[in-house]
Amino acid sequence: MGRPLKIKISDTQDAGFNNPSGSPTSTPANELSYGVVGGNISTSDYDFPVTTTRVRPTGGSITAEGDGFIVRQKGASKFLVSRLDASAIDPANAVVGSTVRVVAVGDTNWASMGAGEGTIAVGHIFTVEVASNASTSGTVAECGICTLADQNDASLSAGNMTVSYTDVGSSAVRLKRFSNKHGISFADAPVLLNFFNILDDTVKIGGSGSSASPATRDLVQIENASLG
């Protein structure tokens, strides 16, 4: 499936995509870059988007599915995901044994919760050993391991997630597994992934042109926080 998904930190750190880069010598000519990245959607912009996902991690205080983002790839179809900053909770309500991400540091005693010693920064991820005392000003977003599933929005089973791309008919197609550049749908259709191009079936991949060794592969637009 290729290299693991990059996780964007900022527009200058792990935000890049694979060639072609829009040069006249690329194939197709003047193609925009392809490849995708995960990371907090708060870092997404029109030049460097970030993949979006629906998630339903288990073990936390929130049990319903919701929007989230990819923190780290754990396997071809498994990812550590986080709920969005907007759904952050009071650390006093954090479930012991659950994984959380610091959204606001505030005056919470993070070391007492199991976050480790020293300065704790926004984005720090740890396993809760003890819930915080009440009435502190920090907040956390709940995280967990989720597996890609072929399930509709509002119908995700616990522990599942969805990531979709747009096909030629403008329908959302859910991915069964994907990496930084390649994806496979639940219909076992291999595709190249990007943020910018809606659909292009002329990307050369070096095959002979037979059904067993195609010369081209469809380039599809994965759903993202800035370009849809």
Side-chain angles (χ1 to χ4, degrees):
M1 280 294 294
R3 295 179 179 178
L5 191 70
K6 284 184 178 180
I7 303 302
K8 180 183 177 183
I9 305 301
S10 69
D11 280 2
T12 59
Q13 186 175 354
D14 291 331
F17 313 112
N18 298 281
N19 288 329
S21 60
S23 70
T25 58
S26 63
T27 305
N30 299 310
E31 184 63 82
L32 288 164
S33 300
Y34 57 80
V36 295
V37 298
N40 195 326
I41 65 168
S42 67
T43 69
S44 186
D45 55 49
Y46 288 105
D47 292 321
F48 298 101
V50 170
T51 301
T52 54
T53 179
R54 294 285 291 178
V55 301
R56 193 178 177 186
T58 61
S61 65
I62 303 174
T63 58
E65 72 174 79
D67 291 328
F69 65 84
I70 295 170
V71 175
R72 188 178 306 120
Q73 184 157 20
K74 306 292 285 185
S77 61
K78 285 189 175 183
F79 298 83
L80 174 63
V81 299
S82 173
R83 295 185 183 273
L84 300 186
D85 293 1
S87 60
I89 64 170
D90 186 326
N93 296 325
V95 177
V96 173
S98 67
T99 302
V100 296
R101 174 179 58 87
V102 176
V103 174
V105 175
D107 61 2
T108 300
N109 185 342
W110 298 109
S112 71
M113 293 183 66
E117 300 295 333
T119 302
I120 300 299
V122 169
H124 184 74
I125 295 173
F126 66 98
T127 300
V128 177
E129 296 178 358
V130 178
S132 168
N133 291 330
S135 302
T136 69
S137 57
T139 59
V140 294
E142 295 179 314
C143 305
I145 303 294
C146 284
T147 302
L148 290 168
D150 190 16
Q151 295 177 320
N152 293 329
D153 287 356
S155 298
L156 271 183
S157 299
N160 285 348
M161 62 184 287
T162 56
V163 174
S164 303
Y165 67 83
T166 303
D167 69 8
V168 67
S170 298
S171 297
V173 178
R174 286 180 283 274
L175 287 165
K176 181 166 68 174
R177 59 183 187 267
F178 74 104
S179 59
N180 69 332
K181 184 169 63 175
H182 299 279
I184 296 178
S185 72
F186 280 88
D188 292 324
V191 290
L192 287 174
L193 304 172
N194 89 123
F195 287 130
F196 308 101
N197 193 317
I198 297 296
L199 187 72
D200 195 326
D201 62 1
T202 60
V203 177
K204 293 182 179 179
I205 59 172
S208 65
S210 68
S211 58
S213 179
T216 62
R217 182 158 292 170
D218 286 355
L219 178 70
V220 300
Q221 184 188 45
I222 199 167
E223 290 185 350
N224 63 86
S226 298
L227 299 170

